[in-house]
Amino acid sequence: MLQPFRVFHTPLPGGVDAPADDARARRMASLDGAIPFLRRHRFIAASAAIALATKGGDLWWESLGHRGVSLFFIAALLCIGALLGQNAALYGAVLAFACYKYFLVPPVHSFAMHAPDILAFTVFLLVGLSVGGLAGRLSDRAHAATERSWELARLLNASKDLSAAITPEDAAARTLAHLDRISPGAHLTLHEPAQAPESIGGDAIALGATRGALGVVQFGSALSPKRRALAEGLAEIAAIAMERAALLQEITQARVISEREGLRTAMLSSLSHDLRTPIATILASSSTLADAASRLGPAQKQDIALAIQEEAQRLNRYIDNLIEMTRLQSGAINLRKSLFDPRDILDATLDRNKARCAGRALVKDYARGLPLINADPVLLEQALNNVLDNALNYTPASARIIIGAASNAGGVELVIEDDGPGIPADEQPLIFERFFRGKNSGGAVNGVGLGLSVTRGIAEAFDGAITIVSPVRDGRGTRISLTFPAAAQD
Amino acid sequence: MPPLPNPYRVLIVDDEPQILRVLRPVLTSDGYDVESAETGQESLDRFDSGKPDAVILDLGLPDIDGEEVIRRLRERSDAPIVVLSARQEPEDKIAALDAGANDYVHKPFHMGELSARLRNALRHKDRQRAQASFYEGNHLRIDFAARRASYKGRIIHLTRKEYDILCMLAEHAGQVVTHKQLLQAAWNGAMTDHQYVRIYVGRIRQKLNPDETAAPIILTEAGIGYRLIGAE
């Protein structure tokens, strides 16, 4: 849940910038622009426009004449209306009327009018007011609509940005960045829903959503109503985003816990079955030797002894993998790295499995001049051992196994390939999952389902990658390769 | 495996009676004269009274730390010590070897492996005593006096350091030699980086086995050192 009374101040490091590809957004980044500037000083601008028009009329009096000049003013009023709005236009119309008479129409520098001119002037004033007024009103409406759409776009932008937040703190930080653009120097305080603040002052906004009040935004200075409205809209979005982020955190935690539980269950059931199976063989075999040795021939006794040996070794491998898997899972793996020749590890793996490999067609295919690998040789040996174990378990005795080491774009590739039955395509992504056992084992399942997941875990711990290709040739075969980055030669 | 001509006396030290139960009859049938002890103190007492030729020592003893037992045994004699250990970490093995053990076997073990390591350790002692002038085993022949090595009948040209390393491995044929020991043998302690050993062993392997397809004669003991495969 949200922390009580966490205060975020501006500016924040790595703050959120308006999206670079949105020119409109850039303009929105500040509520300033050329037209709004003029509008803020509209009466001065209108006066200036009328002054210009008067001067122009004065200069071109001879060529334009009466009617030309009056139209000149009307044109100016249109512009004032279109750019500065209705109020400025109405003011401008009255001012235009006054200036026109006072400066341009004889008698000059006086408001006296000749009789025939009175009608003309009246019409002029009315037309000026109408034209300016209408243009102004249209312009005002258009401007308000544009501002509204800018605000909405701004809120949409903020909403998009906030929806990317994955923690409440992240959401608060992003909110503050957006608020800062509305009013620099804003503060954001989060608090527990139960602790609602006493009262919200004129320059503060409460953040609240479905779960209750989340916090308070304090602004550095008082806000204009327009900015306040924008800020309130932003605060609503922010509150929702923060709640969403908090919920997301809760869901993730719950998922992690349930996964761990699921894994523990799978491990316990695997332990129970896979520890007992070899022990059962050992017990049966050894009790036979103890009780019935006299009834057995030497070949049988030898066979039973070998069975005990194999099962004991299998148990040992299983325990090794269990321990390694537990370490990998808990992140307790001690990354002890050293430089070594990858072929060394392959040779060591073969040596470790000497007895099982005897009598099988095994081919070594090592490239020359291979770079070194920077990893833990003991762990890598275990990783490769599991792959070889798989190849030995899931292929018939007649199958050929190729052990290879080569250099490729990714670094150094260690390969164990066989021409056995292969692994079906739908099982291939699953074989690296813990406790998964393939169906295509052709009889007794010898593997335990842990080996390859440990292999993958070890490979990834040292920035390596593991891939499987099956079938390899003529619809048969499996090829598992581990690729590790080549160590920089020193 | 025919019994050795002069029965060597072997002291087995392990606090697990099951291990003793298996080792005693097997080693006896191998021709050894077997004694056993179940604690560190008992092992030292028996060593003093029995003067065995070799010791098989389990590191996980209840009273004295395994390394300490090795050190105290070394104070008394240079009899070969083969360490039995369930600990997997290379550091523990290196510490035992540095303290004076000759070789290690990790539990669970193959009886054949333990037998071989014990045999190699005793042979090494014999060779040392006899101050053999040459080494011969597994197609490798080294003439110490002439400082010449040949493999499968072919003379191998080695640099001085390569020769020193190969000699060290051959002297301990079948036994593990730590990086530290090899650094000492070739550089006399001037260098301490294990990478040097790796590079030189790589060169030696290359010279012995240019086509790289034959079985390697020098095995890597990951994290610990190297082992020359001697005559079995």
Side-chain angles (χ1 to χ4, degrees):
Chain A
M1 268 318 291
L2 303 169
Q3 306 295 313
F5 294 104
R6 282 274 231 51
V7 181
F8 291 82
H9 299 271
T10 62
L12 289 160
V16 177
D17 293 318
D21 54 26
D22 193 348
R24 206 147 203 250
R26 246 182 280 124
R27 262 186 289 138
M28 286 190 278
S30 65
L31 287 172
D32 302 313
I35 293 176
F37 174 75
L38 285 174
R39 275 180 167 259
R40 276 201 289 276
H41 309 278
R42 61 187 70 148
F43 293 108
I44 300 171
S47 311
I50 299 299
L52 267 174
T54 312
K55 193 71 203 160
D58 188 32
L59 285 171
W60 294 309
W61 184 260
E62 281 77 38
S63 39
L64 288 175
H66 241 275
R67 289 178 205 88
V69 171
S70 64
L71 286 172
F72 209 63
F73 276 102
I74 301 295
L77 284 172
L78 249 176
C79 292
I80 291 172
L83 290 174
L84 304 175
Q86 189 178 43
N87 295 344
L90 294 174
Y91 159 77
V94 173
L95 188 62
F97 171 76
C99 288
Y100 186 26
K101 173 71 223 19
Y102 194 80
F103 289 109
L104 299 176
V105 177
V108 182
H109 294 122
S110 145
F111 282 108
M113 277 183 245
H114 296 317
D117 291 336
I118 293 175
L119 183 60
F121 270 110
T122 313
V123 171
F124 171 78
L125 183 60
L126 287 173
V127 169
L129 285 169
S130 317
V131 164
L134 280 170
R137 199 188 308 175
L138 269 173
S139 166
D140 282 341
R141 291 228 179 111
H143 185 78
T146 311
E147 269 196 352
R148 191 76 223 139
S149 90
W150 281 4
E151 277 172 21
L152 285 174
R154 183 98 150 260
L155 284 176
L156 179 65
N157 190 35
S159 177
K160 269 194 275 189
D161 183 47
L162 285 170
S163 72
I166 44 176
T167 64
E169 289 74 27
D170 189 17
R174 289 174 194 240
T175 306
L176 203 54
H178 287 280
L179 283 171
D180 194 49
R181 278 191 224 111
I182 299 175
S183 169
H187 288 224
L188 192 155
T189 316
L190 296 176
H191 56 72
E192 292 294 314
Q195 301 164 284
E198 301 306 314
S199 61
I200 312 293
D203 55 352
I205 299 176
L207 283 174
T210 57
R211 280 193 186 183
L214 293 172
V216 175
V217 180
Q218 201 79 23
F219 289 100
S221 51
L223 294 173
S224 68
K226 211 179 294 180
R227 280 178 195 248
R228 194 185 170 81
L230 189 59
E232 278 171 0
L234 190 61
E236 268 186 48
I237 296 173
I240 293 172
M242 279 184 229
E243 272 192 1
R244 217 192 97 265
L247 279 171
L248 198 63
Q249 271 188 333
E250 285 176 26
I251 290 173
T252 312
Q253 272 171 358
R255 197 176 291 154
V256 164
I257 289 171
S258 102
E259 245 185 50
R260 217 177 276 157
E261 285 308 315
L263 195 60
R264 200 173 295 155
T265 312
M267 204 196 297
L268 284 174
S269 81
S270 163
L271 266 175
S272 172
H273 175 266
D274 298 311
L275 277 180
R276 289 188 204 282
T277 310
I279 290 174
T281 309
I282 293 170
L283 194 55
S285 307
S286 50
S287 56
T288 304
L289 286 176
D291 300 336
S294 53
R295 282 181 264 143
L296 298 167
Q300 286 169 312
K301 277 190 252 191
Q302 178 70 358
D303 194 43
I304 289 173
L306 280 173
I308 295 174
Q309 196 173 296
E310 278 170 24
E311 293 305 285
Q313 279 174 323
R314 176 142 67 107
L315 250 181
N316 196 29
R317 274 198 302 275
Y318 179 62
I319 289 169
D320 274 343
N321 276 332
L322 253 186
I323 291 174
E324 214 42 65
M325 195 199 72
T326 315
R327 274 210 210 117
L328 283 168
Q329 238 196 300
S330 70
I333 187 162
N334 212 341
L335 284 194
R336 229 186 332 241
K337 290 197 205 180
S338 62
L339 290 172
F340 59 88
D341 190 333
R343 295 168 298 180
D344 257 357
I345 297 302
L346 289 170
D347 283 338
T349 308
L350 285 173
D351 188 65
R352 218 210 255 193
N353 289 283
K354 220 175 1 194
R356 290 174 79 196
C357 291
R360 301 202 53 156
L362 218 111
V363 176
K364 284 195 335 186
D365 182 18
Y366 299 168
R368 304 193 74 104
L370 284 174
L372 304 174
I373 297 179
N374 192 15
D376 183 338
V378 178
L379 285 177
L380 232 73
E381 211 185 290
Q382 188 172 349
L384 285 166
N385 195 50
N386 289 342
V387 181
L388 183 59
D389 193 47
N390 241 51
L392 290 167
N393 281 339
Y394 288 91
T395 61
S398 57
R400 196 172 73 134
I401 299 180
I402 303 172
I403 317 286
S407 167
N408 67 13
V412 181
E413 192 190 19
L414 306 172
V415 181
I416 296 180
E417 182 182 322
D418 64 68
D419 60 1
I423 299 175
D426 56 346
E427 281 182 18
Q428 283 178 28
L430 299 172
I431 57 169
F432 299 109
E433 299 300 316
R434 297 181 203 112
F435 305 113
F436 176 80
R437 246 180 281 227
K439 296 180 213 81
N440 196 5
S441 44
V445 174
N446 290 319
V448 149
L450 267 185
L452 287 180
S453 76
V454 168
T455 298
R456 181 173 67 172
I458 292 175
E460 286 172 358
F462 295 106
D463 302 319
I466 180 167
T467 53
I468 171 170
V469 174
S470 180
V472 180
R473 211 171 288 111
D474 303 326
R476 290 182 70 81
T478 308
R479 178 194 168 94
I480 296 186
S481 25
L482 278 79
T483 308
F484 290 93
Q489 302 282 7
D490 46 311
Chain B
M1 175 70 207
L4 296 160
N6 296 309
Y8 288 101
R9 197 170 300 147
V10 175
L11 172 64
I12 312 174
V13 186
D14 199 316
D15 63 332
E16 274 172 54
Q18 314 90 293
I19 300 282
L20 294 174
R21 213 167 135 191
V22 172
L23 287 183
R24 194 183 270 274
V26 175
L27 292 176
T28 308
S29 76
D30 271 349
Y32 297 105
D33 187 2
V34 178
E35 276 194 32
S36 66
E38 288 180 45
T39 66
Q41 192 52 51
E42 197 188 338
S43 71
L44 294 168
D45 296 335
R46 288 219 187 251
F47 191 90
D48 291 331
S49 62
K51 296 268 185 286
D53 299 296
V55 180
I56 295 177
L57 173 69
D58 174 49
L59 283 186
L61 293 171
D63 57 343
I64 311 177
D65 181 42
E67 271 171 57
E68 183 58 32
V69 175
I70 297 172
R71 268 189 280 273
R72 292 197 202 169
L73 286 173
R74 276 285 163 260
E75 281 167 16
R76 291 156 164 77
S77 124
D78 61 353
I81 301 173
V82 176
V83 157
L84 272 180
S85 171
R87 295 183 210 165
Q88 304 281 8
E89 304 301 302
E91 288 88 34
D92 297 321
K93 295 175 188 164
I94 294 172
L97 293 167
D98 283 344
N102 294 76
D103 209 340
Y104 71 85
V105 174
H106 45 68
K107 292 189 194 176
F109 59 88
H110 247 268
M111 197 59 229
E113 197 182 343
L114 179 61
S115 260
R117 303 265 160 105
L118 180 60
R119 219 170 27 246
N120 281 318
L122 285 165
R123 272 199 204 129
H124 172 230
K125 188 90 289 147
D126 286 343
R127 271 199 301 272
Q128 268 193 335
R129 282 206 201 101
Q131 295 197 325
S133 60
F134 68 92
Y135 167 82
E136 183 149 28
N138 203 10
H139 307 292
L140 178 68
R141 194 197 150 88
I142 304 178
D143 186 338
F144 296 132
R147 289 181 74 85
R148 191 168 45 213
S150 71
Y151 186 60
K152 291 183 176 165
R154 211 178 68 246
I155 302 260
I156 310 288
H157 299 285
L158 299 166
T159 68
R160 194 220 189 105
K161 290 201 172 44
E162 289 167 3
Y163 178 81
D164 287 338
I165 290 177
L166 187 60
C167 268
M168 185 70 170
L169 290 170
E171 274 169 42
H172 290 83
Q175 291 186 302
V176 68
V177 186
T178 60
H179 292 112
K180 200 171 174 179
Q181 285 171 296
L182 291 170
L183 283 166
Q184 187 66 31
W187 284 273
N188 218 359
M191 296 294 181
T192 51
D193 190 350
H194 293 187
Q195 301 309 331
Y196 287 102
V197 178
R198 184 187 45 73
I199 293 167
Y200 276 83
V201 169
R203 288 193 200 146
I204 296 169
R205 276 176 170 148
Q206 183 69 21
K207 290 184 181 178
L208 292 174
N209 239 342
D211 59 359
E212 286 180 5
T213 51
I217 185 176
I218 300 173
L219 277 181
T220 307
E221 296 277 333
I224 300 181
Y226 297 93
R227 189 191 299 271
L228 181 81
I229 301 178
E232 283 302 316

